[in-house]
């Protein structure tokens, strides 16, 4: 761009700066790949929104008084210029275009009407249902709540997946990583957690937010259709930044999602947010950082890649009663390459979260659904967030399954087993079969409790592992017909009283007798 034009624009801006309508104005120096370098804007802030004016660059006064339709976000503050990412079509920006400060950080419009809608990274509706009535705006970047503003995580967040609710229980306000190779069922586990909230009472049901980062639009559409058909969109929001979206939108999508979540948390509500997946956000951020000329580090990621995810996930919290008692439960998803959990991004996110659910390709290929490796998976909140009923029946499962895995490996080398070892192996196979679950069929926790109780107490020992799934289905149908009071008692009390246990034993014995 001609230096004389820039000088003339600077003089006009300076001469205009004394008027009441004045705002700080800059000029586009270069533009390319969604990154804009701007001269001027000396008072600009990091993450501030800027407005590009598409009218004549010669008329400075009209450019300032007219609000431009195209926005950007400042990410680099340099000695004599600033660099920003464009939130939209960067081909509309030309050298010499005027840019003005908005003097506010990038924010997202929020309100109760956003529930049930599909929006993009900055809260604009993309589902064709018209505008969303919003109450306020929430900054996309903000400092997470401090320790004194938080309460202990002790309320269960039921996922409807037996392998999680019994072995790696989640609490409201927890951050639990879902990690595994591509195609091992990570998204299915997360979506089942959303569907399972239909089993919660309306007053206890969390708002669910699914953030799709770099996913195929067809996949997001299938998820939206599934949630709509099941009636789960009534309490769900989808934030979509598909693979076809610019890197800036993929980078901002999780922050947009958690800002919406914070709006509801601050109203005292519980929120479940799923980031699918943060590996793709990291790649988008790496792309932006390299274009912004930031120094590359390990695997070409910028030095602050850990901070990118930590400041996002730290915003998940259980607030104290003084702050309203709301919560955000985060389920970030990370994709591994050939099960390598020791890679750069996986280890980063593992160290930030309160546990991980590791989905293993080998288990998936053997037919285990969900393919959760109970040996590696862990929840650092643990039984503090379990109901008494589930705690009572699931106490020995993890130990029994771990012993079974060792014995199963040993069995490959020896066919001559003693009776006790054979009994342990058969019991382990029944437990493994019990934890198998169909896709998109989450089970209410009271139904999980009675099934686990029956298997762990030896009532189904007469049946082989192959028949356990069938027996479980018939048993639950029997309880619905003959002993519904047992299920209702466990659901209401969230514990197994002596009377309930006696009734449950009696019902199981009646069921086993009926099978003959």
């Amino acid at each position: 761009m001609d230096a004389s034009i820039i000088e003339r624009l600077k003089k006009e801006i300076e001469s205009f700066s004394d008027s009441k309508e004045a705002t700080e104005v800059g000029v586009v120096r270069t533009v390319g790949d969604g990154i804009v370098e701007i001269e001027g804007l000396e008072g600009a802030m990091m993450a501030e929104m800027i407005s590009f004016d598409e009218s004549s660059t010669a008329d400075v006064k009209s450019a300032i008084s007219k609000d431009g339709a195209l926005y950007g976000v400042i990410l680099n503050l340099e000695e004599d210029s600033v660099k920003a990412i464009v939130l939209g079509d960067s081909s509309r920006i030309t050298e010499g275009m005027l840019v003005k400060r908005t003097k506010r950080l990038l924010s997202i419009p929020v309100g109760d009407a956003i529930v049930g809608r599909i929006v993009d990274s900055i809260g604009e509706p993309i589902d064709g249902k018209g505008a969303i009535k919003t109450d306020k705006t929430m900054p996309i970047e903000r400092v997470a709540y401090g320790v004194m503003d938080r309460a202990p995580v002790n309320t269960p967040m039921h996922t409807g997946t037996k392998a999680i609710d019994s072995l790696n229980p989640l609490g409201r306000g927890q951050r639990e990583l879902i990690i595994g190779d591509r195609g091992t069922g990570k998204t299915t586990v997360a979506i089942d957690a959303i569907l399972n909230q239909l089993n919660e009472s309306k007053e206890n049901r969390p708002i669910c937010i699914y953030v799709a980062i770099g996913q195929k639009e067809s996949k997001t559409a299938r998820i939206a259709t599934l949630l709509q058909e099941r009636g789960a969109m009534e309490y769900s929001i989808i934030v979509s930044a598909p693979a076809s979206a610019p890197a800036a939108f993929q980078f901002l999508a999780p922050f947009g999602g958690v800002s919406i979540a914070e709006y509801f948390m601050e109203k005292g509500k519980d929120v479940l947010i799923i980031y699918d997946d943060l590996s793709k956000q990291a790649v988008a951020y790496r792309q932006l950082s390299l274009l912004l000329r930031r120094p590359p580090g390990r695997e070409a990621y910028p030095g602050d890649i850990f901070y990118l995810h930590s400041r996002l996930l730290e915003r998940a919290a259980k607030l104290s009663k003084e702050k309203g008692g709301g919560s955000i439960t985060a389920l970030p998803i990370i994709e591994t390459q050939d099960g390598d959990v020791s890679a750069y991004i996986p280890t980063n996110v593992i160290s930030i979260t309160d546990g991980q659910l590791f989905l293993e390709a080998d288990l998936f290929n053997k037919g285990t659904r969900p393919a959760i490796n109970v040996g590696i998976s862990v929840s650092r909140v643990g039984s503090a967030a379990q109901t008494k009923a589930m705690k009572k029946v699931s106490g020995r499962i993890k130990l029994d399954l771990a012993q079974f895995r060792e014995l199963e490996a040993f069995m490959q080398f020896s066919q001559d087993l003693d009776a006790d070892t054979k009994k342990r192996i058969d019991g382990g196979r029944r437990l493994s079969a019990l934890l198998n679950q169909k896709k998109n069929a989450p089970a209410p926790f009271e139904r999980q409790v009675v099934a686990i109780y029956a298997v762990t107490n030896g009532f189904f020992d007469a049946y082989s592992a192959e028949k356990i799934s069938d027996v479980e289905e018939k048993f639950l149908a029997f309880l619905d017909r003959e002993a519904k009071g047992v299920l209702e008692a466990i659901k209401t009390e969230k514990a197994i009283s002596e009377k309930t246990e006696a009734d449950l034993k009696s019902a199981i014995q009646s069921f086993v007798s009926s099978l003959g």
Side-chain angles (χ1 to χ4, degrees), residues 160-270:
T161 302
K162 285 175 280 189
I164 299 173
D165 291 344
S166 60
L167 299 171
N168 300 288
L170 305 187
R172 300 193 178 202
Q174 187 175 346
R175 302 155 302 176
E176 183 81 359
L177 172 63
I178 301 172
I179 186 168
D181 286 1
R182 187 176 183 179
T184 50
K186 301 185 297 297
T187 302
T188 300
V189 168
I191 295 302
D192 282 359
I194 294 179
L195 293 174
N196 187 60
Q197 304 315 313
L198 286 165
N199 297 320
E200 298 282 352
S201 60
K202 281 198 173 180
E203 59 274 10
N204 198 38
R205 187 179 292 163
I207 301 290
C208 297
I209 303 172
Y210 175 73
V211 184
I213 312 153
Q215 304 295 326
K216 290 180 182 175
E217 289 178 80
S218 57
K219 176 184 175 181
T220 307
R222 278 199 307 273
I223 289 168
T225 304
L226 173 66
L227 296 178
Q228 195 74 53
E229 287 172 352
R230 296 287 189 90
M233 271 310 275
E234 288 178 15
Y235 55 85
S236 299
I237 303 158
I238 295 176
V239 179
S240 178
S244 58
F249 280 83
Q250 294 181 45
F251 154 63
L252 290 172
F255 293 104
V258 78
S259 296
I260 296 170
E262 283 180 329
Y263 167 76
F264 290 105
M265 177 176 72
E266 289 177 357
K267 292 180 77 174
K269 296 183 180 179
D270 293 318

Side-chain angles (χ1 to χ4, degrees), residues 307-327:
Y307 182 54
L308 171 75
H309 289 148
S310 65
R311 71 179 189 264
L312 171 72
L313 293 170
E314 280 296 330
R315 289 164 74 176
K318 170 80 182 293
L319 294 186
S320 62
K321 284 184 180 178
E322 293 75 21
K323 290 287 180 180
S327 72

Side-chain angles (χ1 to χ4, degrees), residues 70-95:
L70 192 60
Y71 290 92
V73 183
I74 293 172
L75 283 190
N76 266 27
L77 298 173
E78 297 176 3
E79 193 173 346
D80 58 350
S81 65
V82 299
K83 284 180 182 170
I85 54 174
V86 183
L87 301 178
D89 183 8
S90 60
S91 64
R92 288 163 55 186
I93 298 171
T94 57
E95 290 182 7

Side-chain angles (χ1 to χ4, degrees), residues 14-76:
E14 285 166 10
S15 66
F16 188 66
S17 63
D18 295 330
S19 76
K20 290 181 182 178
E21 298 175 22
T23 184
E24 290 190 53
V25 176
V27 182
V28 174
R29 184 190 285 174
T30 60
V31 58
D33 297 312
I35 304 295
V36 182
E37 187 176 0
I38 302 156
E39 187 166 333
L41 301 182
E42 286 85 0
M45 301 179 289
M46 189 70 168
E48 182 183 357
M49 281 185 74
I50 50 173
S51 171
F52 296 95
D53 194 282
E54 297 178 84
S55 60
S56 168
T57 56
D59 188 352
V60 180
K61 293 189 181 183
S62 68
I64 292 171
S65 62
K66 182 184 175 184
D67 188 24
L70 192 60
Y71 290 92
V73 183
I74 293 172
L75 283 190
N76 266 27

Side-chain angles (χ1 to χ4, degrees), residues 189-479:
V189 168
I191 295 302
D192 282 359
I194 294 179
L195 293 174
N196 187 60
Q197 304 315 313
L198 286 165
N199 297 320
E200 298 282 352
S201 60
K202 281 198 173 180
E203 59 274 10
N204 198 38
R205 187 179 292 163
I207 301 290
C208 297
I209 303 172
Y210 175 73
V211 184
I213 312 153
Q215 304 295 326
K216 290 180 182 175
E217 289 178 80
S218 57
K219 176 184 175 181
T220 307
R222 278 199 307 273
I223 289 168
T225 304
L226 173 66
L227 296 178
Q228 195 74 53
E229 287 172 352
R230 296 287 189 90
M233 271 310 275
E234 288 178 15
Y235 55 85
S236 299
I237 303 158
I238 295 176
V239 179
S240 178
S244 58
F249 280 83
Q250 294 181 45
F251 154 63
L252 290 172
F255 293 104
V258 78
S259 296
I260 296 170
E262 283 180 329
Y263 167 76
F264 290 105
M265 177 176 72
E266 289 177 357
K267 292 180 77 174
K269 296 183 180 179
D270 293 318
V271 184
L272 171 65
I273 186 165
I274 292 148
Y275 304 110
D276 190 9
D277 64 61
L278 293 186
S279 307
K280 292 184 175 66
Q281 189 208 15
V283 168
Y285 187 58
R286 175 172 63 183
Q287 182 182 329
L288 289 174
S289 297
L290 292 172
L291 289 168
L292 288 164
R293 304 282 185 233
R294 291 181 179 175
R298 179 175 164 187
E299 293 178 30
Y301 287 107
D304 65 339
I305 192 72
F306 180 91
Y307 182 54
L308 171 75
H309 289 148
S310 65
R311 71 179 189 264
L312 171 72
L313 293 170
E314 280 296 330
R315 289 164 74 176
K318 170 80 182 293
L319 294 186
S320 62
K321 284 184 180 178
E322 293 75 21
K323 290 287 180 180
S327 72
I328 296 175
T329 307
L331 294 181
I333 294 174
I334 287 286
E335 186 178 297
T336 54
Q337 305 292 327
D338 198 26
D340 184 12
V341 293
S342 64
Y344 188 31
I345 300 301
T347 49
N348 276 356
V349 184
I350 285 171
S351 65
I352 296 164
T353 49
D354 307 312
Q356 66 276 345
L357 301 168
F358 181 59
L359 281 79
E360 202 171 56
D362 288 346
L363 288 174
F364 187 88
N365 295 334
K366 285 178 186 174
T368 304
R369 301 287 189 281
I372 296 173
N373 182 323
V374 296
I376 298 176
S377 300
V378 65
S379 170
R380 296 189 186 107
V381 171
S383 58
Q386 261 183 326
T387 59
K388 288 180 180 178
M390 184 62 84
K391 203 182 293 188
K392 181 171 182 175
V393 300
S394 66
R396 282 193 55 82
I397 294 183
K398 197 152 195 171
L399 182 63
D400 289 349
L401 278 175
Q403 288 176 344
F404 161 64
R405 299 275 182 233
E406 285 189 23
L407 289 171
E408 190 180 35
F410 172 72
M411 191 186 70
Q412 294 173 359
F413 305 102
S414 173
Q415 296 300 317
D416 193 17
L417 301 172
D418 62 88
D420 184 54
T421 305
K422 191 173 186 308
K423 186 181 176 183
R424 281 176 180 272
I425 288 172
D426 289 343
R429 283 178 175 159
R430 275 190 291 273
L431 269 179
S432 297
L434 176 72
L435 296 178
N436 268 8
Q437 220 165 320
K438 290 177 183 173
K439 183 180 179 180
N440 303 139
F445 94 94
E446 66 274 10
R447 297 172 82 82
Q448 296 182 38
V449 166
V450 294
I452 293 169
Y453 182 90
V455 171
T456 53
N457 285 282
F459 290 104
F460 292 169
D461 282 2
Y463 309 102
S464 64
E466 291 74 22
K467 292 182 180 177
I468 284 295
S469 184
D470 211 29
V471 171
E472 180 195 5
E473 205 172 307
K474 289 176 181 174
F475 171 54
L476 292 170
F478 175 85
L479 287 181

